[in-house]
Amino acid sequence: MRGGGLVSQMVATLAFSILLYGGLNAYASYLGYVYNVQSRDVTLGFLDYELGGGIRAVFLVSIILAIAFILSLYLFLNKTRLGISIRATVENSSLAESMGINTKLVKAISWFLAGGIASAAGSLYPLQFVFSPTLAYSILLSIFAASVLGGLMSLFGGFIGGFIEGFIEKYIMAELSIYLSPVIGVSPFVINQYSTLVPLIVVAAVLLIAPNGIMGIRVK
């Protein structure tokens, strides 16, 4: 929204996302009814392959890609003129603009960078998990929890927080459901459905213990 404040832009972004999801779901329904194509709850796991020792290719590729992105972003934000302009705009937009930085262009580039990185991550997601047009809403809380856990103002904090939160939500909960299944008499699948509570617990714990996240903890 041109000329709008932060709140106005957030509301406009939310409205646009609802419109976009509506269009995606309408298109998914069209593919299903007209062409009999399954476009919801789809997985591309059959395209993945095992490297050996139970390690899947997507696991190795995702780690390499994450490290490459985090290092590239660090160098970009600290060693290039555009990257420094982005940091200056984030820290103090008015001061950056007074120094001659085109803050509107910087913000637009930042949005494109964020969208590109998210797209790269999204391209790997269906190789391991089931995806659908409404996937973003289901993982939004997990992404927010990972950011809070690592530290909202830290680049490496987001990487560390994402790894820890994902490990707890996907691996620990899966193993815990197997052990608890015979104890409480329900299937592991039912127990694992409560893994969506993990992000809420993580956010609550971090805000109580370390509001600035892991990277904000000062060791004395």
Side-chain angles (χ1 to χ4, degrees):
M1 181 179 294
R2 183 180 297 273
L6 181 60
V7 176
S8 300
Q9 292 178 19
M10 290 177 62
V11 173
T13 302
L14 178 61
F16 178 75
S17 67
I18 294 174
L19 179 64
L20 179 61
Y21 282 125
L24 287 174
N25 277 285
Y27 183 62
S29 298
Y30 172 78
L31 292 177
Y33 286 118
V34 177
Y35 297 102
N36 197 26
V37 174
Q38 177 68 22
S39 54
R40 289 190 178 91
D41 299 328
V42 179
T43 179
L44 301 179
F46 63 91
L47 297 176
D48 193 17
Y49 57 91
E50 187 173 336
L51 298 176
I55 300 176
R56 308 294 298 181
V58 65
F59 178 75
L60 182 62
V61 171
S62 61
I63 292 178
I64 295 175
L65 195 62
I67 294 175
F69 270 129
I70 204 72
L71 292 178
S72 298
L73 275 175
Y74 176 79
L75 294 175
F76 170 72
L77 293 174
N78 290 276
K79 302 298 182 181
T80 66
R81 184 175 180 179
L82 178 58
I84 295 173
S85 298
I86 293 176
R87 292 177 57 198
T89 302
V90 170
E91 293 178 5
N92 194 323
S93 181
S94 299
L95 180 59
E97 192 168 0
S98 67
M99 297 295 292
I101 297 175
N102 188 342
T103 56
K104 293 183 179 179
L105 178 61
V106 166
K107 290 177 182 179
I109 294 175
S110 300
W111 276 106
F112 276 107
L113 285 175
I117 295 173
S119 299
S123 66
L124 295 176
Y125 192 94
L127 294 173
Q128 182 69 27
F129 305 104
V130 176
F131 75 101
S132 67
T134 57
L135 173 65
Y137 281 131
S138 63
I139 64 175
L140 183 60
L141 185 57
S142 298
I143 296 172
F144 177 70
S147 301
V148 173
L149 176 60
L152 293 174
M153 300 303 294
S154 174
L155 180 63
F156 291 100
F159 176 80
I160 296 173
F163 179 82
I164 296 175
E165 200 282 330
F167 181 77
I168 296 174
E169 183 177 349
K170 298 300 182 183
Y171 180 77
I172 297 297
M173 284 300 300
E175 293 295 322
L176 189 62
S177 64
I178 295 175
Y179 287 110
L180 290 179
S181 177
V183 176
I184 61 180
V186 297
S187 69
F189 175 78
V190 174
I191 300 175
N192 202 39
Q193 297 305 302
Y194 289 90
S195 63
T196 52
L197 291 175
V198 172
L200 292 174
I201 297 173
V202 168
V203 171
V206 171
L207 292 178
L208 288 173
I209 300 173
N212 294 323
I214 294 175
M215 299 302 290
I217 298 176
R218 295 183 179 181
V219 182
K220 297 182 179 179

